[in-house]
Amino acid sequence: MDEVLAKVYITKSDGSKEKFDFEIVKESLRNAGANEELVEEVINRIENRIHDEITTRELKMMITTVLRRLNREVAQKYIQNHS
């Protein structure tokens, strides 16, 4: 999976493209109050769904959906941090 993700770019809201980095996702989850166990669970559930040129909007929706199932409080804070 790491080899595939090394070639994946995310399309930002302004149309620019940036190399996808799970560390950015992990940090945003931590900033929303997720502990390391929750961070890893979210990553495990979304990593196979990441594709080249995924938009930040798609990624946020994917993360929010998973968080709502696992921890509604962290999901709310994640939404607040990304609106």
Side-chain angles (χ1 to χ4, degrees), residues 55-83:
T55 65
T56 53
R57 185 171 185 269
E58 287 175 285
L59 182 60
K60 289 175 193 173
M61 287 175 53
M62 195 183 304
I63 292 168
T64 301
T65 299
V66 171
L67 279 174
R68 281 186 175 140
R69 291 183 188 134
L70 299 174
N71 186 315
R72 288 192 169 272
E73 185 177 319
V74 173
Q76 274 307 117
K77 184 133 191 234
Y78 179 84
I79 292 165
Q80 289 172 349
N81 290 350
H82 291 91
S83 51

Side-chain angles (χ1 to χ4, degrees), residues 9-46:
Y9 284 81
I10 189 163
T11 303
K12 302 185 87 156
S13 58
D14 65 2
S16 65
K17 296 187 186 322
E18 182 177 293
K19 195 167 243 185
F20 181 81
D21 185 355
F22 264 122
E23 287 307 313
I24 294 171
V25 174
K26 289 177 180 181
E27 189 63 30
S28 70
L29 289 167
R30 290 182 193 113
N31 288 339
N35 61 26
E36 289 307 308
E37 184 179 330
L38 182 57
V39 168
E40 290 306 315
E41 184 61 29
V42 171
I43 297 301
N44 288 339
R45 292 187 184 206
I46 68 168

